[in-house]
């Protein structure tokens, strides 16, 4: 009967809890219940509001709206002291202990009591708690001598000693070994069985399934639901967290043409206290593969890498480098400087990059100079070589491609892109649809011959009704995006080289951009370039995001290579006009904006009676900076197939890193995410428009949405 009573008691209940930071809603009307005698896991992606919610229970934040109940009674928690008084204790990721004090001294620190402490009784009371729940803790041990697991134990015991019956643990297993995790779970189960309520914030789904009784999910600050852990799976929890089905399978190609490069043979390292940091470690590493070294912090991976790099002396064993020339070099005989002098081609990036690898107050050139100061022959040293090296490294770093989204299909090129969805019914008329330039010529609407004489191939003169139609589509697209809340902008049509390299890869730049002779200026390939460049070297307050802009511009492109008949006329040209949209937003919002952006293009084309489809770009069709991309293709009745009329891309923080586009948040600055999408790009788009709205008599219907921009005309009549 008592067990049943425990189950039915809500230790803590949250009703309609809302927390805002400026215009940002971190928690939005959340309801949550935790029973006595249960372990509740709180799940959600980064930024979903888990820690913020728990911080309101622990008194760090105060909710803007809603009610908190403890044991059925409404309470007001305005400080950590209020939380302690209600029997609530939170164990944070970063421990709040004084290293030079003992476990017992940390546990009682700040508690009210007499001037003279009875430490014997304190030790006895702590030991009783330790024995009751199965902790491994010596109350007299100094904190600085403890492992991470022991420090965590001190924090938990500290809360229990202060009378906490509701425990909140934020990522408690993040720094524990598997053995320590098992031990912690045993302790938590004992505490649960003793009637305590336990909330665990974690990202590790296997731990959720193993430990918790129920699991609650947050997504983007909203409460999604709670379910019995026994009814949950990794797949169901993942879907609730992200809002869609996620494939957990990884397409991992097998390495090939492997060549042995490193042999680690029974190496042992000893620290200054005579303790082994590594003991009899052996493995081989091959060129053509990525070798992972797994282990939590403190397991020896740092010492292993330092031993390979020559920064830590071996007690025994060998580290042999197998050079491409066939020479075997025992690196254990040399220090780091000597290994560098040997010309051994390997590098070491230390765990503590700022403390050990770099001088934070110095720029790239200064840090490069540190590598070469020994080569100087006098008091002064030349900056030429370090500057050249810094520029070379910067250039190499900018060729590193972005990490694509896990949902992107794997494929070699655009032939393996995946169709997602069709919008509108594709129609093939009973009459023959002429080539698009022939349709335009029937209206005296295009002059390619004169354009070739004036500018060469890849240019055009649009004339009369076709030119008017071109401008009408641009004007309609502008107003369409303004009505959807985007700010209209006309950007510069030329940009400097530092913006060019910030918004695109070197390969894209070479294939697209026209440079102005004698000037540090390039003609833009799309207004996206100058629109994203608008935010170079800026820091924007979180509350001011997202930035949603729609822009008009001419576009200039080299369009290298030969193309077939379908890509002649006005399909693949050196100059065109475009309405673009870009978004600068917080990282957690970019996924939603990506969906909104391409849907805008689909809606625009459908409003002009043009059937379209969306194609997910495969890995081989993604430019280097893109995380994820979708092409919008329009139906061609003449070709009886779809062709590309726009592209939507999520670039993650790649452009933001290059252009130093930062967001000022509550906990410091971080890089924004950027996205772009084509609204419409005539005259290519006119191909789809003319073919889909062509009538048998040669006239072209004007959709209702375009008529205000065409002087009220309902159709265009051919002149020949």
């Amino acid at each position: 009967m008592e067990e049943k009573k425990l189950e039915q008691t809500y230790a803590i209940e949250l009703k309609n809890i809302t927390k805002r930071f400026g215009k940002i809603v971190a928690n939005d009307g959340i309801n949550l219940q935790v029973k006595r005698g249960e372990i509740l896991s709180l799940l959600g992606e980064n930024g979903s509001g888990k820690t913020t919610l728990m911080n309101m229970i622990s008194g760090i934040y105060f909710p803007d709206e809603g009610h908190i109940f403890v044991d059925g009674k409404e309470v007001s928690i305005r400080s950590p002291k209020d939380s302690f008084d209600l029997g609530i204790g939170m164990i944070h990721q970063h421990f709040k202990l004084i290293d030079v004090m003992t476990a017992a001294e940390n546990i009682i620190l700040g508690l009210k009591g007499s001037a003279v402490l009875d430490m014997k009784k304190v030790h006895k009371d702590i030991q009783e708690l330790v024995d009751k729940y199965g902790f491994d803790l010596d109350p007299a041990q100094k904190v600085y001598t403890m492992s991470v697991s022991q420090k965590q134990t001190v924090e938990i015991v500290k809360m229990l000693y202060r009378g906490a019956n509701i425990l909140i643990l934020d990522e408690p297993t993040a720094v524990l070994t598997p053995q320590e995790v098992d031990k912690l779970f045993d302790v938590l189960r004992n505490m649960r069985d003793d009637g305590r309520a336990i909330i665990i914030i974690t990202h590790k789904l296997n731990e959720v399934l193993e430990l918790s009784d129920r699991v609650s999910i947050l997504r983007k600050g909203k409460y999604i639901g709670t379910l019995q852990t026994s009814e949950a799976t990794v797949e169901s929890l993942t879907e609730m967290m992200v809002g869609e089905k996620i494939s957990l399978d990884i397409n991992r190609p097998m390495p090939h043409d492997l060549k042995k490069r490193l042999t680690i043979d029974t190496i042992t390292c000893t620290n200054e206290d005579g303790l082994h940091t590594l003991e009899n470690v052996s493995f081989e590493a091959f060129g053509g593969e990525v070798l992972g070294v797994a282990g939590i912090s403190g397991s020896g991976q740092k010492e292993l890498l330092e031993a390979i790099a020559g920064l830590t002396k071996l007690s025994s064993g060998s580290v042999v480098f197998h050079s491409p020339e066939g020479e075997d070099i025992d690196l254990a005989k040399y220090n780091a400087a000597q290994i560098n002098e040997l010309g051994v081609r390997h590098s070491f990036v230390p765990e503590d990059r700022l403390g050990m690898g770099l001088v934070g107050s110095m720029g790239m050139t200064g840090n490069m100079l540190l590598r070469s100061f020994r080569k100087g022959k006098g008091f002064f040293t030349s900056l030429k070589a370090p500057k050249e090296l810094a520029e070379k490294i910067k250039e190499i770093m900018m060729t590193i491609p972005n990490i694509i989204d896990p949902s992107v299909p794997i494929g070699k090129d655009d032939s393996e892109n995946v169709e997602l969805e069709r919008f509108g019914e594709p129609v093939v008329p009973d009459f023959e649809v002429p080539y698009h330039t022939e349709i335009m010529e029937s209206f005296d609407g295009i002059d390619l011959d004169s354009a070739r004489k004036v500018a060469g191939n890849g240019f055009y003169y649009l004339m009369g009704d076709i030119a008017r139609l071109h401008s009408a589509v641009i004007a309609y697209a502008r107003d369409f995006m303004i009505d959807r809340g985007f700010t209209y902008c006309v950007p510069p049509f030329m940009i400097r080289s530092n913006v060019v390299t910030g918004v695109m890869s070197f390969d894209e730049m070479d294939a697209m951009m026209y440079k102005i002779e004698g000037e540090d200026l390039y003609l833009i390939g799309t207004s996206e370039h100058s629109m994203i460049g608008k935010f170079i070297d800026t820091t924007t307050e979180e509350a001011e995001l997202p930035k949603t802009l729609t822009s008009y511009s001419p576009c200039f492109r080299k369009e290298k290579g030969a193309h077939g008949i379908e890509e002649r006329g006005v399909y693949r040209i050196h100059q065109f006009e475009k309405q673009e949209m870009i978004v600068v937003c917080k990282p957690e919002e970019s996924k939603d904006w990506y969906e909104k952006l391409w849907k805008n293009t689909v809606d625009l084309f459908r409003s002009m009676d043009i059937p379209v489809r969306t194609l997910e770009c495969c890995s081989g069709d993604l430019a280097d900076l893109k995380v994820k991309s979708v092409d919008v293709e329009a139906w061609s009745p003449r070709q009886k197939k779809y062709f590309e009329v726009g592209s939507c891309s999520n670039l993650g923080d790649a452009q933001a890193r290059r252009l130093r586009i930062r967001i000022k948040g509550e906990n410091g600055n971080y890089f924004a995410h950027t996205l772009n999408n084509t609204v419409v790009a005539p005259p290519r788009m006119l191909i789809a428009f003319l073919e889909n709205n062509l009538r048998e008599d040669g006239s072209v219907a004007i959709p209702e949405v375009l008529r205000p921009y065409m002087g009220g005309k309902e159709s265009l009549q051919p002149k020949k």
Side-chain angles (χ1 to χ4, degrees), residues 353-355 357-364 367 370:
R353 296 183 296 277
L354 283 176
L358 299 168
V359 179
S361 59
M362 296 170 59
M364 187 176 288
N367 276 281
L370 296 176

Side-chain angles (χ1 to χ4, degrees), residues 11 16 49 77 91 145 208 333 343 417 421 470 473-474 486 510 514 548 584-585 626 629 701 708 717:
N16 300 315
I77 305 176
I91 294 88
T145 67
V208 171
K333 297 178 180 178
N417 290 346
E421 192 172 358
H470 172 282
V473 168
I474 285 287
F486 283 64
D510 181 61
Y514 285 107
T548 57
V584 179
C585 65
K626 295 181 179 181
S629 187
Q717 300 299 320

Side-chain angles (χ1 to χ4, degrees), residues 15 42 105 152 226 267 350 354 370 375 533-534 613 649 685 687 705 708:
K15 293 184 178 180
L42 190 59
E105 290 166 345
Q152 186 182 72
T226 299
I267 65 171
L354 283 176
L370 296 176
K375 300 176 182 177
K534 180 179 186 296
R613 71 171 182 175
S649 300
M685 170 270 171
I687 300 171
V705 295

Side-chain angles (χ1 to χ4, degrees), residues 15 32 43 48 136 149 271 287 307 312 365 413 428 477 490 497 502 504 535 545 566 572 647 691 699 708 717:
K15 293 184 178 180
L32 193 72
L43 273 181
S48 62
D136 182 13
S149 174
N271 64 16
T312 295
T365 300
D413 54 36
V428 178
V490 178
S497 58
M504 66 175 69
F535 298 94
L545 295 176
E566 300 303 346
R572 196 172 294 276
S647 181
E691 288 188 9
S699 65
Q717 300 299 320

